[in-house]
Amino acid sequence: MKRYKHAASGILVPLAALALWQLLSAKGWVNATILPSPMQVLTKWWTYLRPLEAFDPAQGSYLKWCFSGELPQDAMGSLYRVLVGFAIGTGLALPLGLAMGYSKVVYALFNPLIQVLRPIPPIAYIPLSILWFGLGNPPAIFLISIGAFFPVLMNTVTGVQNVDSIYLRVGRNLGASRFTQFTRIILPAATPYIFTGARIGMGTAFIVVIVSEMIAVNNGLGYRILEAREYLWSDKIIAGMFTIGLLGLGIDTVMSRLSSRMLRWHRGLEQG
C-alpha cells in the first residue's frame, strides 16, 4: 500500500505540469507551431506508433504488424544501439577499473591516459567515428561505448579503492588468499559503486545515441526528431522526446530493481 502511495504522489507534479501546459495552449498563450498542446502531441504520438499499412496475414504475423510502425522501429533501433554500446563500454571498463583499483602499478600506468581522455565529450569523436567506421550502426555504437565507458570505469576504481581496510585485515588474519580477498571482499564491497556507475553510464548512452543518430544514422529516435525539425513538426519532436524519456525510465527502473535485489545485504549492513 505504501508503494502505491509513493507512486501516486510521484505522478502529481507531471499531471499538474500537463494540465498547466494544456491550459496555456487552450488559451492561445503559446504558439501551437512552437509548442503544441499535450493533446496534439498525444495524437501525433499515436499516429507515429500505429502501423503504416493495414494488417495483411500474407505479410507476416499480427505481432510483427503491431511493431511495424515508425515509432516501434525507431525505438527498437535506438534501444539496440544503446544496449550494444553500453555492453561494450561496460565490458571494457569493468575489468580495467577493477585492475586499476586493486593494483597501484596498473593505476599508475593507465591513470594519466584516462585523465586526459575522460574530459573529452563523446560528441567530439563524431568526425573520427565517421572517418573510421563510415555511416550506420558502427559509429553510433562506438560513440555510445565511449559514453558508457568512463562512468563505469571511474566508479569501479573508486569502489575498489574505498574498500574499508579493516575487512582486508580480517581476511588476511583468517588466512584468505589474495584471490579470495578479491572475489569475496573487494568485489562485493565495490558492487554498489559499480551499479551507480552503470546507471550513470546508461544515462550517458541515451544522450549519445540521440546525437549520433542525428548525424551518422538514417533511422532511430534521434534521426526522426531531426527529420521532424526540418518540417517544423513540433508535436512529433516532443513525441519522440517523451519516448526517449520513457525508454530511459524503463531501463533505469529495471537497473534500480536489479541493484536493490542484488544489494540487499548491503542495505542491511547500512541499516544495522
Side-chain angles (χ1 to χ4, degrees):
M1 190 65 182
K2 191 176 181 181
R3 181 186 301 178
Y4 293 118
K5 287 183 179 179
H6 282 301
S9 62
I11 297 175
L12 291 177
V13 172
L15 287 178
L18 286 173
L20 178 61
W21 178 9
Q22 181 65 39
L23 177 63
L24 293 175
S25 300
K27 294 291 185 179
W29 292 341
V30 292
N31 189 334
T33 303
I34 298 174
L35 183 63
S37 69
M39 291 307 299
Q40 287 178 274
V41 174
L42 182 61
T43 301
K44 177 59 71 173
W45 186 85
W46 177 247
T47 304
Y48 188 19
L49 175 67
R50 289 186 308 172
L52 300 175
E53 300 177 355
F55 175 60
D56 182 3
Q59 299 297 321
S61 67
Y62 183 79
L63 182 62
K64 181 180 178 181
W65 174 77
C66 288
F67 285 91
S68 64
E70 269 190 350
L71 178 59
Q73 294 297 314
D74 289 337
M76 286 190 292
S78 296
L79 194 58
Y80 167 78
R81 296 179 189 107
V82 166
L83 294 179
V84 173
F86 177 79
I88 294 173
T90 302
L92 295 173
L94 193 56
L96 179 60
L98 291 172
M100 288 178 64
Y102 186 69
S103 171
K104 293 182 179 179
V105 175
V106 177
Y107 183 86
L109 286 173
F110 285 94
N111 188 57
L113 178 62
I114 295 298
Q115 296 308 322
V116 169
L117 296 178
R118 186 166 64 91
I120 303 174
I123 298 170
Y125 291 92
I126 287 176
L128 285 177
S129 68
I130 294 175
L131 286 174
W132 292 345
F133 302 104
L135 300 176
N137 284 333
I141 291 172
F142 170 73
L143 295 171
I144 295 165
S145 300
I146 294 175
F149 177 82
F150 289 104
V152 177
L153 175 70
M154 300 311 299
N155 276 271
T156 303
V157 172
T158 302
V160 174
Q161 291 179 341
N162 283 352
V163 176
D164 197 327
S165 60
I166 191 171
Y167 299 137
L168 300 177
R169 290 198 296 269
V170 169
R172 283 195 296 268
N173 291 338
L174 293 175
S177 64
R178 290 172 65 89
F179 178 78
T180 301
Q181 288 186 53
F182 182 80
T183 56
R184 302 298 295 273
I185 299 175
I186 295 175
L187 188 57
T191 301
Y193 291 86
I194 294 172
F195 270 107
T196 300
R199 292 181 68 179
I200 297 172
M202 181 60 75
T204 306
F206 267 98
I207 296 172
V208 176
V209 72
I210 299 306
V211 176
S212 63
E213 287 177 345
M214 290 181 174
I215 296 171
V217 186
N218 61 358
N219 64 3
L221 294 170
Y223 170 81
R224 205 64 64 186
I225 289 173
L226 186 64
E227 179 190 56
R229 188 207 66 176
E230 299 293 333
Y231 295 97
L232 297 179
W233 293 337
S234 300
D235 48 3
K236 193 169 185 177
I237 293 174
I238 298 174
M241 292 168 59
F242 275 117
T243 303
I244 295 165
L246 290 173
L247 285 176
L249 175 63
I251 292 180
D252 186 72
T253 301
V254 171
M255 295 180 70
S256 178
R257 294 286 177 83
L258 180 63
S259 173
S260 298
R261 186 173 184 82
M262 295 184 65
L263 299 178
R264 284 178 294 185
W265 60 271
H266 178 72
R267 294 201 314 274
L269 288 176
E270 288 185 337
Q271 292 171 359

